Amino acid sequence: MTTTELAADRLLVQDASAAPVEHAPVDAADVLGGRPTMGALPLADDAGVELGIWEITSGVVTDVEVDEVFVVLSGRGRVEFEDGSSIALAAGTVARLRAGDRTHWIVYETLRKIYVLLPDHEEATS
């Protein structure tokens, strides 16, 4: 295998900020405001760890999270947690969500992030 082929095998996406992500309307039961759409572009899945790009347009949605680490690439918003805490979201924000977190995502400007879904800790230790 040539070095060019080796590099191509490692490259997941050339420009994560511009990769096309197909959107669909958010389930109406999860929308608290606006008419947001969202989509994801999975890039890799290995040993129960998924890596990808996720994007959501402006609006307010509710969610129950899985174990995840993410880096915001673009956009602005806020994620609010059931305990009253919140995290401001903007390009460069790195955050951790825990399985079972109940959240409200308030998106002011289309938000795009790189996500890493972590394996279920209970399954990993079983």
Side-chain angles (χ1 to χ4, degrees), residues 83-120:
D83 65 7
S85 64
S86 66
I87 299 171
L89 303 172
T93 302
V94 180
R96 166 80 191 264
L97 302 172
R98 291 186 167 52
D101 281 345
R102 294 183 180 281
T103 57
H104 290 166
W105 291 76
I106 299 94
V107 180
Y108 310 121
E109 179 181 295
T110 297
L111 192 70
R112 178 176 279 227
K113 67 181 183 177
I114 295 285
Y115 67 85
V116 179
L117 301 183
L118 305 171
D120 183 5

Side-chain angles (χ1 to χ4, degrees), residues 8-91:
D9 187 47
R10 292 181 173 109
L11 181 65
L12 299 177
V13 65
Q14 188 67 50
D15 183 355
S17 64
V21 174
E22 190 173 320
H23 279 233
V26 176
D27 185 332
D30 296 332
V31 175
L32 302 176
R35 299 172 82 165
T37 65
M38 71 177 175
L41 175 63
L43 299 173
D45 191 342
D46 187 25
V49 176
E50 181 182 320
L51 169 71
I53 300 168
W54 180 82
E55 187 173 77
I56 186 169
T57 61
S58 61
V60 181
V61 301
T62 185
D63 200 7
V64 177
E65 304 299 336
V66 297
D67 279 332
E68 175 184 343
V69 173
F70 67 87
V71 180
V72 176
L73 297 174
S74 61
R76 292 182 318 105
R78 173 173 301 284
V79 60
E80 296 179 345
F81 299 89
E82 191 172 46
D83 65 7
S85 64
S86 66
I87 299 171
L89 303 172

